[in-house]
């Protein structure tokens, strides 16, 4: 039997749809970030804590992008295990029949690299590449 919270009337949209997650976590959308056409990226607030959610609706045309998002999560978790300062920490992952999302920590006070001068961008990139070399690409397969 369909949960009453999930029932909706055909062709009326989803504005009045109440999901269990919304009542359980009481998330507030603070900002919608630019993302690609297949996923949405939100800055959310729950219990006075900010976090970022990347969300995709699963359908035939988004299947490739859904798989790409799953690989992004794997990469973020792997990099975080090597060096915690390289990437945001994954907080939650939900893979349901019709959608997929992951939550990650919000890095307050950080700016996008392209907001800085070329000199600063170059020095930051050199530092990141060095951290990757020291903490990620230093692992070698033994023969």
């Amino acid at each position: 039997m369909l949960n009453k919270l999930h029932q909706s009337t055909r062709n009326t949209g989803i504005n009045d749809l109440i999901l269990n997650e919304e009542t359980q976590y009481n998330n507030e959308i603070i900002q919608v970030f630019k993302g690609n056409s297949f996923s949405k990226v939100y800055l959310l607030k729950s219990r006075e804590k900010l976090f970022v959610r990347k969300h995709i609706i699963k359908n035939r045309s988004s299947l490739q992008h859904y798989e790409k998002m799953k690989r992004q999560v794997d990469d973020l978790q792997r990099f975080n295990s090597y060096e915690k300062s390289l990437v945001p920490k994954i907080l939650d992952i939900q893979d349901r029949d019709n959608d997929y999302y992951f939550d990650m920590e919000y890095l307050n006070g950080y700016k996008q690299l392209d907001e800085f001068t070329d000199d600063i961008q170059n020095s930051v990139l050199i530092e990141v590449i060095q951290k990757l070399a020291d903490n990620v690409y230093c692992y070698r397969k033994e023969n």
Side-chain angles (χ1 to χ4, degrees), residues 48-60:
E48 300 307 314
K49 292 194 178 202
L50 295 173
F51 62 96
V52 175
R53 173 169 294 169
K54 190 166 185 180
H55 178 258
I56 191 167
I57 301 294
K58 292 182 190 176
N59 57 44
R60 276 182 256 173

Side-chain angles (χ1 to χ4, degrees), residues 50-135:
L50 295 173
F51 62 96
V52 175
R53 173 169 294 169
K54 190 166 185 180
H55 178 258
I56 191 167
I57 301 294
K58 292 182 190 176
N59 57 44
R60 276 182 256 173
S61 62
S62 70
L63 184 59
Q64 176 184 354
H65 301 279
Y66 155 69
E67 294 295 337
K68 185 177 182 178
M69 275 181 60
K70 285 175 54 176
R71 286 191 307 274
Q72 287 175 349
V73 169
D74 290 342
D75 288 343
L76 288 168
Q77 289 176 319
R78 182 169 43 91
F79 283 3
N80 188 272
S81 71
Y82 295 142
E83 171 58 44
K84 302 220 181 294
S85 68
L86 286 175
V87 295
K89 180 181 178 185
I90 299 296
L91 304 172
D92 189 25
I93 303 167
Q94 292 293 323
D95 194 350
R96 302 181 289 210
D97 290 341
N98 297 316
D99 70 336
Y100 175 82
Y101 71 82
F102 66 92
D103 296 339
M104 60 187 143
E105 69 180 326
Y106 174 64
L107 303 175
N108 195 15
Y110 284 69
K111 292 182 180 180
Q112 287 184 195
L113 191 56
D114 65 358
E115 295 178 22
F116 294 94
T117 65
D118 288 345
D119 288 341
I120 292 174
Q121 287 181 35
N122 288 334
S123 67
V124 169
L125 287 174
I126 290 169
E127 184 178 333
V128 169
I129 290 169
Q130 188 60 52
K131 280 190 177 192
L132 288 170
D134 293 345
N135 298 293

